[in-house]
Amino acid sequence: MKLLGTGSSLPHLQVSNSDLAKFLDTGDEWIVPRTGIRTRHVISDENLEDLAADAAKKALEDAGLNVSDIDLLICSNVVNEYVTPSLSCVLAYKLGLACPCFDINCACPGFIYAMDMADSYFRSGKAGNVLIVCAEEPTRMVDWKDRSTCVLFGDGAGAAVFGKGDNLKGIRLSSEPAPDKICEYRKLLPTPYISKEENEVPMLMKGKDVFRFAVTTSVRDIHGILDEAGISIEDVDYFMIHQANLRIIDGIRERLGVTEEKFPVNIADHGNSSSASCPILLDECRRKGMFKEGDILVFSAFGAGLLSASAVLMC
Ligand code: COA
């Protein structure tokens, strides 16, 4: 597969650490050194599907393709206002797409999981062009009175169009199932038969465990896929790491022994936008003209599950 175009879309409201300090006992002095986050885009009057459609249209335009050229739409999403149909169906309706579409819920590594699925469609000859849209609103999953989680997240959508080609040089998906490390429970409607106790619980996170998992699996998987692909760390032009936390990104970079210029970051003004983070970063870097043909990008992301994924993609 080959990357043909990218797009992204963000909520207009930006909430700074000082804005949070108006109703939480927190501020720059705690948040910046521990996370690198200064401000984040937060959904207010927008709908997630509109951000997703905006990102998708920009990616199609960037690729020079029409909706009729797309054979498959994959949406990566954890929560949105619909239980059914899937976000991909809502988005397909908005875009005028009539191809197969489905959602995946793989949390933060969702973009790379979607790339792996797209790759299978290309290899089996079932698709010529695939649109991946990662749209997330984690700010609707947290308790805004819980300063240990709500300060970390931001919302947004990132999209990428892939066509046939042999530019995907390696991909690895892995899991260390531990559902209690990052979780949120919702309550379904009652029935006459439900007798068990059910609770609605906002996001709970064991931050230190997630931190360790993120750094160790990312470093292990990046070394693994580069070895398999016969590419040395020095030959990689950019490491596109899930923007969860600057300390996690720095921890990965230091263990790989790579300089800062090869690790683009946008965490300071986005926060963690779950699976949208990698394609938003990709789009911002592409639009700045950072990449040239033949550049080698390594993607790595990790999150709830616990799941992780890494990929090597040539521009
Ligand atoms: N502002 C001020 N104080 C805060 C705070 C905030 N926003 N959030 C937590 N604190 C306090 C805690 O209450 C605690 O206080 P106490 O010692 O009086 O009880 C103290 O800061 C230390 O909390 P702790 O949880 O030990 O901090 P930490 O150094 O582990 O950092 C994270 C917390 C969340 C920043 C860190 O664990 C982390 O980055 N984890 C990874 C999270 C992540 O990226 N998840 C998504 C992955 S996809």
Side-chain angles (χ1 to χ4, degrees):
M1 59 197 261
K2 184 178 175 14
L3 181 64
L4 302 179
T6 59
S8 60
S9 187
L10 299 167
H12 63 81
L13 178 67
Q14 283 183 273
V15 177
S16 69
N17 294 341
S18 345
D19 293 328
L20 296 177
K22 290 175 192 154
F23 59 93
L24 278 176
D25 181 11
T26 192
D28 269 346
E29 63 294 346
W30 193 94
I31 301 171
V32 174
R34 280 177 185 76
T35 70
I37 302 166
R38 292 182 179 276
T39 182
R40 69 282 290 145
H41 293 261
V42 174
I43 279 204
S44 52
D45 53 4
E46 302 100 338
N47 292 317
L48 188 63
E49 60 265 29
D50 293 326
L51 297 179
D54 187 37
K57 282 179 193 161
K58 288 173 180 163
L60 285 167
E61 192 187 345
D62 187 35
L65 295 179
N66 298 312
V67 284
S68 56
D69 298 317
I70 298 298
D71 305 306
L72 175 70
L73 165 64
I74 308 173
C75 269
S76 168
N77 169 258
V78 179
V79 296
N80 69 85
E81 287 172 51
Y82 287 83
V83 174
T84 193
S86 70
L87 185 61
S88 62
C89 293
V90 178
L91 178 57
Y93 175 73
K94 281 190 171 284
L95 294 174
L97 266 172
C99 62
C101 52
F102 57 83
D103 282 11
I104 58 167
N105 179 344
C106 301
C108 304
F111 179 58
I112 304 170
Y113 272 73
M115 280 170 66
D116 187 59
M117 289 183 175
D119 182 45
S120 304
Y121 270 76
F122 287 125
R123 283 174 189 275
S124 66
K126 283 164 76 178
N129 294 306
V130 177
L131 171 61
I132 296 175
V133 182
C134 303
E136 304 280 12
E137 46 185 337
T139 67
R140 305 300 304 277
M141 299 172 64
V142 292
D143 174 357
W144 281 79
K145 292 194 269 323
D146 176 7
R147 63 182 181 170
S148 68
T149 53
C150 74
V151 305
L152 304 175
F153 294 94
D155 305 319
V161 179
F162 289 94
K164 285 182 186 157
D166 63 354
N167 289 25
L168 184 66
K169 302 299 180 190
I171 193 153
R172 178 177 290 197
L173 312 181
S174 53
S175 73
E176 279 179 27
D180 62 323
K181 303 291 185 197
I182 306 177
C183 59
E184 178 190 349
Y185 303 101
R186 70 180 154 205
K187 210 168 170 177
L188 302 182
L189 294 175
T191 79
Y193 309 107
I194 292 295
S195 53
K196 61 191 173 181
E197 195 186 324
E198 290 183 323
N199 292 311
E200 200 146 43
V201 182
M203 188 193 292
L204 301 172
M205 183 168 60
K206 297 188 175 161
K208 286 188 171 60
D209 293 348
V210 175
F211 194 109
R212 265 191 300 273
F213 169 79
V215 175
T216 53
T217 56
S218 180
V219 170
R220 181 199 65 199
D221 290 350
I222 289 173
H223 276 308
I225 46 169
L226 287 176
D227 283 352
E228 272 169 28
I231 296 170
S232 72
I233 288 265
E234 294 72 39
D235 289 337
V236 177
D237 294 285
Y238 294 103
F239 292 83
M240 313 295 289
I241 308 295
H242 167 43
Q243 304 288 296
N245 180 310
L246 190 57
R247 281 197 306 152
I248 292 179
I249 299 166
D250 282 343
I252 295 167
R253 185 177 60 71
E254 282 159 17
R255 282 166 182 76
L256 292 174
V258 176
T259 53
E260 274 182 29
E261 310 83 72
K262 289 194 170 188
F263 273 68
V265 286
N266 64 12
I267 178 89
D269 51 7
H270 288 268
N272 179 348
S273 56
S274 189
S275 74
S277 113
C278 278
I280 290 173
L281 180 68
L282 176 66
D283 182 52
E284 290 182 354
C285 292
R286 263 172 65 89
R287 282 171 198 271
K288 279 183 202 154
M290 275 171 57
F291 307 139
K292 57 184 186 314
E293 206 173 330
D295 273 359
I296 302 221
L297 311 183
V298 166
F299 290 87
S300 187
F302 31 78
L306 296 167
L307 297 180
S308 69
S310 297
V312 187
L313 185 73
M314 189 186 272
C315 291

